[in-house]
Amino acid sequence: MTSTPPRVLTVAGSDSGGGAGIQADLKTMLALGVHGMSVIAAVTAQNSLGVQGYWELPAEAVRAQLDSVLGDIGVQAVKTGMLASPTLVETVAGALASVAAPVVVDPVGVSKHGDSLLAPEAVETMKELLLPVATVVTPNLWEVEQLTSVKVEDEDDLPRAAEAVLALGPTWALIKGGHLPGEPVDLLTDGDRRYRFAAERHDNRHTHGTGCTLASAIASRLALGDDLPEAVRQAKEYVTGAIAHGFPLGAGIGPVDHAWRWRTGG
């Protein structure tokens, strides 16, 4: 009898260009061997040049999707991404508060092109309701500043940023230092233990979807049974390869290659 793979749910926005959001999440989950499921919270009109617009789904539609999946199928891990508004953040946080599976929160605030994907008034709701239910939150440096007002200028600032994020309630914080000069270094900590993850920097501008992909890869590895530090290590390795094989698409920034291991045999 065929066994059912681990189940991972993404709650995020749709990217019509296919490089980020729900589309990146499901591609990542398939590449890592889990069954991906989706709750669409918003729809974007988006391509390689940027985000031309986005539309939130009604809260009742998001809640119905959550109830449908959680009530029948269940999950081994959850990843959240673009939630757009205070109402949607509150809806998702309420549903996930009773979920026993690990929750990976990617606090999406802005797109790769600099387009806002989170209403300013939703930041406080995210801090108050969503981050306390997170197993791990994965902000980039801009999102750290948005959430905590801590500005990171070099690797020495990462611990201070992590402490500020942990004060908002997640069990772990993964501060992504990819926008710092030098090698991309991420810091994972629960306040007691610290793990430093470094990687080679690839000279490739086609990096659309990196944040979504990393968070989904962490959730996938957690569903497969890794502890969090190992899940992050495996996810970082997968994303680094995806960045190295990112490809041009349209006239702007192309996506990372979620299928790089299949294409290269890596």
Side-chain angles (χ1 to χ4, degrees):
M1 182 178 176
T2 302
S3 61
T4 302
R7 293 147 288 159
V8 182
L9 175 64
T10 169
V11 186
S14 168
D15 173 4
S16 55
I22 291 283
Q23 287 79 359
D25 297 340
L26 294 176
K27 290 173 187 178
T28 299
M29 292 168 190
L30 180 62
L32 296 183
V34 301
H35 174 69
M37 304 169 292
S38 62
V39 168
I40 298 177
V43 175
T44 70
Q46 186 173 171
N47 56 25
S48 70
L49 298 173
V51 179
Q52 290 77 47
Y54 73 78
W55 298 265
E56 302 159 25
L57 265 69
E60 58 266 31
V62 173
R63 182 73 207 209
Q65 292 175 81
L66 284 161
D67 290 346
S68 184
V69 173
L70 297 174
D72 173 51
I73 301 172
V75 293
Q76 269 77 56
V78 180
K79 175 258 176 179
T80 71
M82 176 191 177
L83 299 179
S85 72
T87 300
L88 293 185
V89 173
E90 183 177 354
T91 298
V92 172
L96 297 183
S98 59
V99 171
V103 175
V104 180
V105 172
D106 182 14
V108 174
V110 68
S111 76
K112 180 67 68 178
H113 302 85
D115 303 296
S116 178
L117 297 174
L118 183 70
E121 60 270 23
V123 175
E124 287 304 314
T125 312
M126 181 175 286
K127 289 162 64 173
E128 292 172 11
L129 299 179
L130 186 60
L131 296 194
V133 306
T135 306
V136 60
V137 59
T138 63
N140 61 30
L141 302 185
W142 188 89
E143 291 157 353
V144 166
E145 188 171 358
Q146 185 183 43
L147 291 169
T148 69
S149 299
V150 172
K151 188 171 181 62
V152 177
E153 296 183 341
D154 56 40
E155 186 180 341
D156 291 341
D157 292 330
L158 293 178
R160 184 166 59 93
E163 288 174 11
V165 172
L166 286 174
L168 299 174
T171 307
W172 292 81
L174 177 66
I175 310 300
K176 300 180 295 190
H179 293 120
L180 293 175
E183 63 178 4
V185 173
D186 301 339
L187 175 67
L188 174 70
T189 180
D190 64 354
D192 296 320
R193 294 164 287 177
R194 285 185 185 177
Y195 301 86
R196 180 182 184 272
F197 299 94
E200 179 184 358
R201 185 177 295 281
H202 295 286
D203 184 19
N204 186 354
R205 68 188 289 261
H206 301 302
T207 56
H208 184 51
T210 49
C212 306
T213 300
L214 179 68
S216 293
I218 293 170
S220 298
R221 293 303 314 185
L222 289 171
L224 289 164
D226 289 347
D227 63 19
L228 190 58
E230 178 62 13
V232 172
R233 188 188 71 78
Q234 293 274 2
K236 176 97 169 171
E237 183 179 295
Y238 169 72
V239 170
T240 300
I243 292 170
H245 293 88
F247 52 85
L249 198 69
I253 299 172
V256 301
D257 187 0
H258 298 95
W260 69 274
R261 284 177 172 158
W262 298 349
R263 298 191 214 279
T264 65

Coordinates of all heavy atoms in Angstrom, one line a residue, residues 136-140 144 162 165 172-176 186-189 195 197 214 218 232:
V136 N 8.9 29.2 14.6 CA 10.1 30.0 14.2 C 9.6 31.1 13.2 O 8.6 30.9 12.5 CB 11.1 29.2 13.5 CG1 10.6 28.4 12.2 CG2 12.4 30.0 13.1
V137 N 10.1 32.3 13.4 CA 9.8 33.4 12.5 C 11.1 33.7 11.7 O 12.2 33.7 12.2 CB 9.3 34.6 13.2 CG1 10.3 35.1 14.2 CG2 8.9 35.7 12.3
T138 N 10.9 34.1 10.4 CA 12.1 34.1 9.5 C 12.2 35.5 8.8 O 12.2 35.6 7.6 CB 12.0 33.0 8.4 OG1 10.8 33.2 7.6 CG2 11.9 31.6 9.0
P139 N 12.4 36.6 9.5 CA 12.4 37.9 8.9 C 13.7 38.2 8.2 O 14.8 37.7 8.6 CB 12.2 38.8 10.1 CG 12.8 38.1 11.2 CD 12.5 36.7 11.0
N140 N 13.7 38.9 7.1 CA 14.9 39.5 6.5 C 15.2 40.8 7.3 O 14.4 41.2 8.2 CB 14.8 39.7 5.0 CG 13.6 40.7 4.6 OD1 13.3 41.6 5.4 ND2 13.1 40.5 3.4
V144 N 12.9 42.8 10.0 CA 13.3 42.9 11.4 C 13.1 44.4 11.8 O 12.5 44.7 12.9 CB 14.8 42.6 11.6 CG1 15.3 43.1 12.9 CG2 15.0 41.1 11.5
A162 N 17.8 39.4 16.8 CA 17.1 38.1 17.2 C 16.4 38.3 18.6 O 15.3 37.8 18.8 CB 18.1 37.0 17.2
V165 N 13.2 40.2 18.2 CA 12.2 39.4 17.6 C 11.6 38.3 18.6 O 10.4 38.1 18.7 CB 12.7 38.7 16.3 CG1 11.7 37.7 15.7 CG2 13.0 39.7 15.2
W172 N 11.5 30.4 18.3 CA 12.8 30.6 17.6 C 12.7 31.8 16.7 O 11.7 32.1 16.2 CB 13.2 29.4 16.8 CG 13.5 28.1 17.5 CD1 12.7 27.2 18.0 CD2 14.8 27.6 17.9 NE1 13.3 26.2 18.6 CE2 14.7 26.4 18.5 CE3 16.2 28.1 17.6 CZ2 15.7 25.6 19.0 CZ3 17.2 27.3 18.1 CH2 17.0 26.1 18.7
A173 N 13.9 32.4 16.5 CA 14.0 33.5 15.5 C 15.1 33.1 14.5 O 16.2 32.7 15.0 CB 14.3 34.8 16.1
L174 N 14.9 33.2 13.2 CA 15.9 33.0 12.2 C 16.1 34.4 11.5 O 15.2 34.8 10.7 CB 15.5 31.9 11.2 CG 16.5 31.8 10.0 CD1 17.9 31.2 10.5 CD2 15.9 30.8 9.0
I175 N 17.1 35.1 11.8 CA 17.4 36.4 11.2 C 18.2 36.2 9.9 O 19.4 35.7 10.0 CB 18.1 37.3 12.2 CG1 17.4 37.3 13.5 CG2 18.2 38.7 11.6 CD1 16.0 37.8 13.5
K176 N 17.7 36.6 8.8 CA 18.3 36.3 7.5 C 19.2 37.5 7.2 O 18.7 38.6 7.0 CB 17.3 36.1 6.4 CG 16.4 34.9 6.7 CD 15.4 34.6 5.6 CE 14.4 35.7 5.6 NZ 13.2 35.4 4.7
D186 N 23.0 33.7 8.2 CA 21.7 33.7 9.0 C 22.0 33.3 10.4 O 22.9 32.4 10.7 CB 20.7 32.7 8.4 CG 20.4 33.1 6.9 OD1 20.6 34.2 6.5 OD2 19.9 32.2 6.2
L187 N 21.3 33.9 11.4 CA 21.4 33.5 12.8 C 20.1 32.9 13.3 O 19.0 33.5 13.2 CB 21.8 34.7 13.6 CG 21.8 34.5 15.1 CD1 23.0 33.5 15.5 CD2 21.9 35.8 15.9
L188 N 20.2 31.7 13.8 CA 19.0 31.0 14.4 C 19.2 30.9 15.9 O 20.3 30.5 16.4 CB 18.9 29.6 13.8 CG 17.8 28.7 14.5 CD1 16.4 29.2 14.1 CD2 18.0 27.2 14.0
T189 N 18.2 31.3 16.7 CA 18.4 31.2 18.2 C 17.0 31.1 18.8 O 16.0 31.6 18.3 CB 19.1 32.5 18.7 OG1 19.2 32.3 20.1 CG2 18.4 33.8 18.4
Y195 N 22.8 29.3 16.4 CA 23.4 28.5 15.3 C 23.6 29.6 14.2 O 22.7 30.3 13.8 CB 22.4 27.5 14.8 CG 22.1 26.4 15.9 CD1 21.0 26.7 16.8 CD2 22.8 25.2 16.0 CE1 20.7 25.7 17.7 CE2 22.5 24.3 16.9 CZ 21.4 24.5 17.8 OH 21.1 23.6 18.8
F197 N 24.5 30.1 10.2 CA 24.5 29.4 8.9 C 25.0 30.3 7.9 O 24.4 31.4 7.6 CB 23.0 29.0 8.6 CG 22.4 28.1 9.6 CD1 21.6 28.5 10.6 CD2 22.6 26.7 9.4 CE1 21.0 27.7 11.5 CE2 22.0 25.8 10.3 CZ 21.2 26.3 11.4
L214 N 12.7 29.5 1.4 CA 13.4 29.1 2.6 C 12.4 28.7 3.7 O 12.5 27.6 4.3 CB 14.2 30.2 3.1 CG 15.0 29.9 4.4 CD1 16.1 28.8 4.1 CD2 15.7 31.2 5.0
I218 N 12.0 25.0 5.3 CA 12.1 24.7 6.7 C 10.8 23.9 7.2 O 11.0 22.9 7.9 CB 12.2 26.0 7.5 CG1 13.5 26.7 7.2 CG2 12.1 25.7 9.0 CD1 13.6 28.1 7.8
V232 N 16.7 24.0 9.3 CA 17.2 25.2 8.7 C 18.5 24.9 7.9 O 18.6 25.5 6.8 CB 17.5 26.2 9.8 CG1 18.2 27.5 9.3 CG2 16.2 26.7 10.5

